[in-house]
Coordinates of all heavy atoms in Angstrom, one line a residue:
E430 N -21.5 -5.0 10.8 CA -21.4 -5.7 9.7 C -20.9 -4.9 8.5 O -20.8 -5.4 7.3 CB -22.8 -6.4 9.3 CG -23.3 -7.3 10.4 CD -24.8 -7.7 10.0 OE1 -25.3 -7.3 9.0 OE2 -25.3 -8.6 10.8
G431 N -20.5 -3.8 8.7 CA -20.1 -2.8 7.6 C -18.8 -3.1 7.0 O -18.0 -4.0 7.5
F432 N -18.5 -2.3 5.9 CA -17.3 -2.5 5.2 C -16.0 -2.3 6.2 O -15.1 -3.1 6.1 CB -17.3 -1.5 4.1 CG -16.1 -1.6 3.2 CD1 -16.1 -2.7 2.2 CD2 -15.2 -0.7 3.2 CE1 -15.0 -2.8 1.4 CE2 -14.1 -0.8 2.3 CZ -14.0 -1.9 1.4
L433 N -16.1 -1.2 7.0 CA -14.9 -1.0 7.8 C -14.8 -2.0 8.9 O -13.7 -2.4 9.3 CB -15.0 0.4 8.4 CG -14.4 1.6 7.5 CD1 -14.6 2.9 8.3 CD2 -13.0 1.4 7.3
D434 N -15.9 -2.5 9.5 CA -15.9 -3.5 10.5 C -15.2 -4.8 10.0 O -14.4 -5.3 10.6 CB -17.4 -3.9 10.8 CG -18.0 -2.7 11.5 OD1 -17.5 -2.2 12.6 OD2 -19.0 -2.2 10.9
R435 N -15.6 -5.1 8.7 CA -15.0 -6.4 8.2 C -13.5 -6.1 7.8 O -12.6 -7.0 8.1 CB -15.7 -6.8 6.8 CG -17.1 -7.2 7.0 CD -17.5 -8.1 5.8 NE -17.3 -7.3 4.6 CZ -18.2 -6.6 4.0 NH1 -19.4 -6.4 4.6 NH2 -18.1 -6.0 2.9
M436 N -13.2 -4.9 7.4 CA -11.8 -4.7 7.1 C -10.9 -4.7 8.4 O -9.8 -5.2 8.4 CB -11.7 -3.2 6.4 CG -10.3 -2.8 5.9 SD -10.4 -1.3 5.0 CE -8.7 -1.2 4.4
I437 N -11.5 -4.1 9.5 CA -10.7 -4.1 10.7 C -10.5 -5.5 11.2 O -9.4 -5.9 11.7 CB -11.6 -3.3 11.8 CG1 -11.4 -1.8 11.5 CG2 -10.9 -3.5 13.2 CD1 -12.3 -0.9 12.3
A438 N -11.5 -6.4 11.2 CA -11.4 -7.8 11.6 C -10.4 -8.5 10.8 O -9.6 -9.3 11.3 CB -12.8 -8.4 11.5
L439 N -10.4 -8.2 9.5 CA -9.5 -9.0 8.6 C -8.0 -8.6 8.9 O -7.2 -9.5 8.9 CB -9.9 -8.8 7.1 CG -11.1 -9.6 6.7 CD1 -11.7 -9.0 5.4 CD2 -10.8 -11.1 6.6
V440 N -7.8 -7.3 8.9 CA -6.4 -6.9 9.1 C -5.9 -7.2 10.5 O -4.6 -7.4 10.7 CB -6.2 -5.4 8.8 CG1 -6.5 -5.0 7.4 CG2 -6.9 -4.5 9.8
E441 N -6.7 -7.5 11.5 CA -6.3 -7.9 12.7 C -6.0 -9.4 12.8 O -5.4 -9.9 13.6 CB -7.4 -7.5 13.8 CG -7.4 -6.1 14.2 CD -8.4 -5.8 15.3 OE1 -9.5 -6.5 15.3 OE2 -8.1 -5.0 16.2
G442 N -6.5 -10.1 11.8 CA -6.3 -11.5 11.7 C -7.3 -12.2 12.5 O -7.2 -13.4 12.7
A443 N -8.4 -11.5 13.1 CA -9.2 -12.2 13.9 C -10.1 -13.3 13.2 O -10.6 -14.1 13.7 CB -10.2 -11.1 14.6
E444 N -10.3 -13.0 12.0 CA -11.2 -13.9 11.1 C -10.5 -14.6 10.0 O -11.1 -15.2 9.1 CB -12.4 -13.1 10.5 CG -13.4 -12.4 11.4 CD -14.5 -11.8 10.9 OE1 -14.6 -11.7 9.6 OE2 -15.3 -11.2 11.5
R445 N -9.2 -14.6 10.1 CA -8.3 -15.2 9.1 C -8.5 -16.8 9.3 O -8.1 -17.3 10.3 CB -6.9 -14.8 9.2 CG -6.1 -15.2 7.9 CD -4.5 -15.0 8.2 NE -4.1 -16.1 8.9 CZ -3.6 -17.2 8.4 NH1 -3.7 -17.4 7.0 NH2 -3.1 -18.2 9.1
Q446 N -8.9 -17.4 8.2 CA -9.0 -18.9 8.2 C -7.9 -19.4 7.3 O -7.5 -18.8 6.3 CB -10.4 -19.3 7.7 CG -11.5 -18.8 8.6 CD -12.9 -19.2 8.1 OE1 -13.0 -19.7 6.9 NE2 -14.0 -19.3 8.9
K447 N -7.6 -20.7 7.7 CA -6.5 -21.4 6.9 C -7.0 -21.6 5.4 O -8.2 -22.0 5.3 CB -6.0 -22.6 7.5 CG -5.2 -22.4 8.8 CD -4.7 -23.8 9.2 CE -3.8 -23.6 10.5 NZ -3.3 -24.9 11.0
T448 N -6.2 -21.3 4.5 CA -6.5 -21.6 3.1 C -6.3 -23.0 2.8 O -5.7 -23.8 3.5 CB -5.6 -20.7 2.1 OG1 -4.3 -21.1 2.3 CG2 -5.8 -19.2 2.5
P449 N -6.9 -23.5 1.7 CA -6.7 -24.9 1.2 C -5.3 -25.3 1.1 O -4.8 -26.4 1.6 CB -7.5 -25.0 0.0 CG -8.5 -24.1 0.0 CD -7.9 -22.8 0.8
N450 N -4.4 -24.4 0.5 CA -3.1 -24.7 0.4 C -2.4 -24.8 1.7 O -1.5 -25.7 1.9 CB -2.4 -23.5 -0.5 CG -0.9 -23.7 -0.6 OD1 -0.1 -23.5 0.3 ND2 -0.6 -24.1 -1.8
E451 N -2.7 -23.9 2.6 CA -2.1 -23.9 4.0 C -2.6 -25.1 4.8 O -1.8 -25.8 5.4 CB -2.6 -22.7 4.7 CG -1.8 -22.4 6.0 CD -2.2 -21.0 6.6 OE1 -2.9 -20.2 5.9 OE2 -1.8 -20.9 7.8
I452 N -3.9 -25.5 4.6 CA -4.3 -26.7 5.2 C -3.6 -28.0 4.8 O -3.2 -28.9 5.5 CB -5.8 -27.0 5.0 CG1 -6.6 -25.9 5.8 CG2 -6.3 -28.3 5.5 CD1 -8.1 -25.8 5.4
A453 N -3.4 -28.1 3.4 CA -2.7 -29.2 2.7 C -1.2 -29.3 3.2 O -0.8 -30.4 3.6 CB -2.7 -29.1 1.2
L454 N -0.6 -28.1 3.4 CA 0.8 -28.1 3.9 C 0.8 -28.5 5.3 O 1.8 -29.2 5.8 CB 1.4 -26.7 3.7 CG 2.9 -26.5 4.0 CD1 3.7 -27.5 3.2 CD2 3.4 -25.1 3.7
T455 N -0.1 -28.1 6.1 CA -0.1 -28.5 7.6 C -0.3 -30.0 7.7 O 0.3 -30.6 8.5 CB -1.4 -27.7 8.2 OG1 -1.2 -26.3 8.2 CG2 -1.4 -28.2 9.7
L456 N -1.2 -30.6 6.8 CA -1.4 -32.0 6.9 C -0.1 -32.7 6.5 O 0.4 -33.8 7.1 CB -2.3 -32.5 5.9 CG -3.9 -32.1 6.3 CD1 -4.8 -32.5 5.2 CD2 -4.3 -32.8 7.7

């Protein structure tokens, strides 16, 4: 759960969720 763990997960895209703007455009 550490800082580097979160950083690694985020840069890998494993935890990237669609943003509201992206969801609206998808719709």
Side-chain angles (χ1 to χ4, degrees):
E430 299 174 357
F432 187 73
L433 274 180
D434 296 297
R435 293 200 306 270
M436 190 172 181
I437 290 168
L439 284 165
V440 298
E441 283 183 327
E444 294 183 4
R445 198 190 77 86
Q446 298 178 344
K447 288 187 177 181
T448 63
N450 180 285
E451 195 173 346
I452 291 172
L454 185 54
T455 300
L456 291 175

